């Protein structure tokens, strides 16, 4: 390997999820995101996601993720941020040429036990170089589930421009979701968020 990134502390288990997330700050270089769902930065099993800026200078040798990360997004206690399938690939929801960041925490309890949440940030230079920061407090948008046990954020997909309007779209999975009638417990659900030049903000419930 040309470069080796390792976790910052014992037991982090860095590498639960890895993604090339696109060019967050618009400088022409794609960023890397690395997850560790049992890191304890924000409390026991809060999880964390390290975002490492792309650069013309190649990374080489062995280094801790924290030593080169522009931002470390930290979950709340028990969130398990940075778990498998819980990071979005490169996508540009608002069409400004900068990639967004979407991170799922399927065990978040904001709405109820294991309801889950997706922390979402629009791409810009400030978010890429924000240091160690709460994923919840720094999010431009928190996508919240309809209720407890939905496990929203278990899967995050960036399918491209589904409706041909020039904006990328976003898919959010919730494996514990019940059907709208409530007759199919844990049938699961996938929610499509359409891209737009109108920016989303605050808490948005998907159901």
């Amino acid at each position: 390997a040309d470069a080796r990134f390792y976790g910052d502390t014992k037991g982090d288990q860095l590498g639960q999820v890895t993604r090339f997330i696109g060019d967050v700050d618009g400088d022409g270089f794609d960023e890397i995101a690395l997850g560790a769902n049992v890191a304890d930065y924000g409390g026991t099993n809060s999880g964390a996601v390290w975002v490492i800026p792309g650069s013309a200078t190649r990374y080489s040798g062995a280094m801790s993720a924290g030593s080169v990360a522009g931002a470390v997004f930290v979950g709340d206690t028990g969130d398990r941020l940075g778990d498998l399938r819980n990071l979005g690939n490169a996508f540009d929801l608002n069409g400004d040429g900068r990639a967004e960041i979407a991170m799922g925490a399927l065990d978040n309890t904001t709405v109820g036990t294991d309801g889950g949440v997706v922390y979402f940030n629009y791409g810009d230079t400030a978010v890429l170089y924000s240091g160690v920061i709460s994923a919840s407090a720094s999010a431009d948008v928190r996508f919240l589930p309809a209720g407890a046990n939905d496990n929203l954020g278990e899967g995050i997909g960036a399918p491209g421009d589904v409706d041909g309007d020039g904006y990328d779209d976003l898919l959010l999975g919730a494996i514990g979701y019940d059907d709208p009638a409530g007759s199919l417990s844990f049938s699961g659900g996938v929610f499509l968020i359409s891209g737009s030049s109108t920016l989303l903000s605050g808490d948005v419930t998907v159901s």
Side-chain angles (χ1 to χ4, degrees):
D2 295 311
R4 301 188 301 278
F5 305 101
Y6 55 86
D8 294 344
T9 61
K10 182 179 180 179
D12 274 357
Q13 297 186 20
L14 183 72
Q16 285 281 342
V17 62
T18 62
R19 293 283 188 271
F20 290 104
I21 59 171
D23 184 6
V24 174
D25 60 347
D27 66 352
F29 301 100
D30 289 344
E31 276 59 77
I32 303 168
L34 310 174
N37 70 334
V38 294
D40 295 332
Y41 273 85
T44 302
N45 291 339
S46 62
V49 172
W50 288 257
V51 178
I52 299 173
S55 170
T57 302
R58 291 188 176 185
Y59 293 104
S60 63
M63 66 208 81
S64 69
S67 69
V68 290
V72 182
F73 294 97
V74 177
D76 296 338
T77 297
D79 264 6
R80 299 181 69 89
L81 183 69
D83 203 351
L84 298 172
R85 301 178 297 279
N86 293 2
L87 278 176
N89 288 315
F91 68 101
D92 181 9
L93 200 70
N94 64 332
D96 67 351
R98 294 175 293 192
E100 275 55 273
I101 302 173
M103 305 169 286
L106 72 162
D107 290 343
N108 179 270
T109 59
T110 297
V111 171
T113 301
D114 294 339
V117 65
V118 174
Y119 303 118
F120 175 90
N121 294 87
Y122 286 104
D124 64 27
T125 301
V127 72
L128 181 57
Y129 294 98
S130 53
V132 179
I133 191 167
S134 163
S136 180
S138 65
D140 292 316
V141 183
R142 295 194 312 169
F143 291 106
L144 299 175
N149 300 311
D150 275 5
N151 289 132
L152 179 67
E154 170 65 11
I156 299 176
D161 183 7
V162 174
D163 53 4
D165 64 353
Y167 300 98
D168 288 343
D169 305 305
L170 180 63
L171 292 172
L172 306 178
I175 59 172
Y177 177 76
D178 299 339
D179 74 299
S183 58
L184 302 174
S185 297
F186 294 95
S187 61
V190 176
F191 306 97
L192 175 64
I193 310 298
S194 297
S196 171
S197 60
T198 301
L199 303 185
L200 300 171
S201 63
D203 289 348
V204 176
T205 298
V206 292
S207 61

